Amino acid sequence: MSSSRMDNKSYLVHMNGKGVHDKNTVNAKTLNGSGVNGKVVHGNSFHHVSVNGTLYPTKAKSRRQRWSVKPSEMANNTLNPIRAIVDGMKLTPNPDKPMIALSIGDPTVFGNLPTDDAVLQAMKDAIDSQKYNGYAPSVGYAQSRKAVANFYSCAEAPLEAEDVILTSGCSQAIDLAISVLCNPGDNILVPCPGFSLYKTLAVSMGIEVKLYNLLPEKSWEADLQHLESLIDERTSCLVVTNPSNPCGSVFSRDHLQKIIKVASKHCLPILADEIYSDMVFPGCDSPSMATLSSDVPILSCGGLAKRWLVPGWRMGWILIHDRNEIFGPEIRQGLVKLSQRILGACSIVQGALESILDNTPQSFYQETINFLKSNAELCYNELSIVPGLNPVMPSGAMYLMVGIEMDHFPDFKNDVDFTEKLVTEQSVFCLPASAFEFPNYFRIVVTVPEELMIEACGRIAEFCQRHYRPRSRDSNDLDQ
């Protein structure tokens, strides 16, 4: 039968499987409507749609009787622990004292830490060129990927452009890394205290999070024995954050090697969150994990946000370190496929990336680090003499953790209650470490101007002096 004859002939297909009939042979009584001029013709178990005078069969569709639109399981399983805690707090500042927020890990909030002029000029040049107004490849421009590879490549951990995936901020890099390594039902090992996003992302994907302890008495080193005890056959990834958010700690070379040894023993790939790489105080040596690994494959996640002080520009990356081809082509292809779910990182920032990496002066990095160290030391020294508080001196990043001896503060139930009342009385907001699943601590961001840091520490001290109760006193003494 010729195609022209097929085009001019239509057929009815019975849904009960009794065959195909020429429309001209079907009894008209079986048709409930007309198939003329685009109207639907209804049979007992089939529909017809007329297109240009020809009837085409379509499958009968079921119809819901009432509206029922519900959020997906993924949406329901997505929870940011910080938002869950902070949104539930009653934050009513003292109207007589201006608010000092030491809670947000954004170095731009107070305006005292601007990025370098060279970084701004690179962006201006990228805009003026008008070369970067369109879509970039999902993994990033080749030239921009090459620039990142050149910036981080070294003899111990060489990189080429194809080893770099550009992402919309470091958070997307972490998302892609977890997504490519893990299946629902798997588990990942995450530091505690640690950045809450790992759990937010993993749990939404049906991945279990196992928390391994960091030890405050050892400057937040990982409890390696505890870490290793958590590993089982469904463990698919070890997350290492160095330097640390929220602790501000920096692992030594020796400690990093011990972590890698555990990963090697159990054949575990590492997700290295190194967004604070090189934001390390003078006197500390903390190389990237990839430079220390001889066999463990590593996905290193980083970006411009912290070191270049531009978190809103949303430029991140994954560095694929796989010298022994353990990941092989499959993980790389998986990252490419996952990156195609969105249209990649901001094209204008990509256009500026090579210039940013090549032309930012070393003095800019050093000035930032010097300021953070000075503020951290100031905060540590001021709070170390406050009864009931135990600050842990950081070695990098932008944070300082402070322990609360809760039995000395019977007015408060926990760290959330403590920090909530601190806002009420003193208008100082520190983030309770329950947000990082590490209760009875709070985190301070040390990026605020020095005068505000001094003022905030003074208010915290005043608050603690008012509520502190020595253990040795009995209830009668406490009332005096």
Side-chain angles (χ1 to χ4, degrees):
M1 184 180 292
S2 70
S3 59
S4 60
R5 290 183 63 191
M6 284 294 293
D7 290 342
N8 293 325
K9 196 162 187 146
S10 69
Y11 292 80
L12 302 180
V13 181
H14 282 286
M15 297 307 173
N16 60 12
K18 291 186 177 179
V20 180
H21 303 275
D22 187 315
K23 71 181 180 73
N24 296 319
T25 65
V26 177
N27 190 323
K29 292 182 179 180
T30 65
L31 301 179
N32 298 325
S34 171
V36 181
N37 297 326
K39 295 181 180 180
V40 177
V41 180
H42 303 281
N44 293 331
S45 58
F46 48 78
H47 293 175
H48 281 72
V49 177
S50 175
V51 180
N52 296 327
T54 302
L55 295 175
Y56 292 93
T58 62
K59 186 176 180 181
K61 296 180 180 179
S62 62
R63 188 162 58 87
R64 290 179 179 174
Q65 299 303 310
R66 59 175 59 88
W67 286 97
S68 179
V69 182
K70 298 179 181 179
S72 66
E73 290 185 15
M74 183 176 185
N76 285 333
N77 290 336
T78 300
L79 177 69
N80 186 321
I82 293 178
R83 291 262 51 92
I85 289 176
V86 172
D87 290 349
M89 296 174 71
K90 298 176 182 178
L91 301 177
T92 307
N94 185 334
D96 298 326
K97 297 186 178 185
M99 185 71 169
I100 304 176
L102 305 178
S103 57
I104 304 173
D106 181 346
T108 72
V109 169
F110 291 91
N112 59 309
L113 289 174
T115 192
D116 191 75
D117 287 344
V119 178
L120 296 177
Q121 190 59 52
M123 278 290 281
K124 293 173 185 176
D125 291 344
I127 293 171
D128 289 342
S129 74
Q130 299 198 51
K131 295 179 180 178
Y132 307 105
N133 294 337
Y135 292 125
S138 63
V139 294
Y141 290 119
Q143 181 179 355
S144 305
R145 297 168 70 194
K146 182 179 179 181
V148 174
N150 291 341
F151 189 81
Y152 286 103
S153 185
C154 60
E156 300 84 1
L159 288 166
E160 298 180 0
E162 56 264 33
D163 300 318
V164 178
I165 305 285
L166 299 184
T167 61
S168 182
C170 187
S171 58
Q172 194 207 2
I174 294 168
D175 185 13
L176 294 181
I178 293 175
S179 299
V180 81
L181 294 175
C182 308
N183 286 307
D186 287 350
N187 63 75
I188 62 174
L189 307 185
V190 170
C192 182
F195 185 36
S196 60
L197 183 69
Y198 311 130
K199 184 173 183 178
T200 299
L201 294 172
V203 172
S204 72
M205 292 185 269
I207 299 162
E208 181 187 1
V209 171
K210 293 186 175 183
L211 302 174
Y212 65 88
N213 293 330
L214 304 184
L215 304 172
E217 67 274 14
K218 292 187 176 182
S219 298
W220 303 109
E221 284 190 349
D223 183 337
L224 297 176
Q225 186 174 356
H226 182 234
L227 186 160
E228 190 166 8
S229 72
L230 299 174
I231 299 171
D232 62 24
E233 68 279 357
R234 294 303 302 267
T235 305
S236 56
C237 174
L238 167 60
V239 177
V240 180
T241 313
N242 186 55
S244 168
N245 175 12
C247 303
S249 56
V250 178
F251 291 154
S252 67
R253 176 184 295 265
D254 178 65
H255 192 60
L256 288 171
Q257 288 173 328
K258 289 178 180 177
I259 294 173
I260 291 171
K261 185 176 181 180
V262 172
S264 177
K265 176 182 176 182
H266 295 276
C267 300
L268 269 185
I270 290 176
L271 191 170
D273 183 345
E274 297 180 329
I275 186 64
Y276 295 98
S277 69
D278 298 310
M279 292 183 74
V280 175
F281 298 164
C284 293
D285 173 37
S286 186
S288 68
M289 296 202 78
T291 62
L292 304 177
S293 174
S294 60
D295 63 329
V296 177
I298 295 172
L299 296 180
S300 173
C301 299
L304 291 182
K306 308 301 183 179
R307 193 180 182 200
W308 284 268
L309 307 176
V310 286
W313 289 12
R314 311 311 303 139
M315 173 54 64
W317 47 73
I318 298 176
L319 310 180
I320 305 168
H321 296 279
D322 186 30
R323 290 190 296 281
N324 288 0
E325 294 296 322
I326 293 170
F327 283 152
E330 294 84 4
I331 293 296
R332 291 173 183 271
Q333 291 168 3
L335 284 170
V336 171
K337 291 177 180 179
L338 288 169
S339 73
Q340 293 168 349
R341 295 177 65 196
I342 67 171
L343 292 172
C346 175
S347 59
I348 292 175
V349 185
Q350 289 189 54
L353 196 51
E354 183 175 12
S355 181
I356 290 172
L357 298 177
D358 290 348
N359 298 328
T360 303
Q362 189 63 36
S363 59
F364 165 74
Y365 306 128
Q366 197 57 51
E367 287 169 6
T368 303
I369 290 170
N370 290 343
F371 172 82
L372 295 174
K373 181 185 179 185
S374 175
N375 247 17
E377 288 177 338
L378 187 160
C379 183
Y380 174 80
N381 292 334
E382 291 291 320
L383 298 185
S384 289
I385 60 175
V386 176
L389 297 185
N390 295 306
V392 182
M393 181 63 196
S395 298
M398 312 187 311
Y399 311 103
L400 180 148
M401 288 278 276
V402 182
I404 312 167
E405 297 178 13
M406 291 304 303
D407 53 350
H408 281 303
F409 297 98
D411 294 344
F412 312 117
K413 294 177 292 185
N414 50 41
D415 57 310
V416 177
D417 193 25
F418 181 98
T419 53
E420 183 178 278
K421 297 302 191 301
L422 179 59
V423 172
T424 301
E425 295 184 21
Q426 297 291 341
S427 296
V428 175
F429 184 26
C430 304
L431 199 61
S434 287
F436 308 108
E437 307 203 54
F438 205 81
N440 301 334
Y441 278 76
F442 60 87
R443 187 192 75 175
I444 288 177
V445 177
V446 298
T447 58
V448 300
E450 181 179 298
E451 61 272 18
L452 285 182
M453 181 60 71
I454 295 171
E455 172 69 17
C457 289
R459 293 189 200 176
I460 293 170
E462 181 182 330
F463 175 81
C464 290
Q465 288 163 6
R466 177 178 179 183
H467 295 281
Y468 181 83
R469 302 290 185 271
R471 292 191 189 93
S472 59
R473 293 186 177 184
D474 60 26
S475 57
N476 292 329
D477 291 330
L478 294 177
D479 294 332
Q480 297 177 1

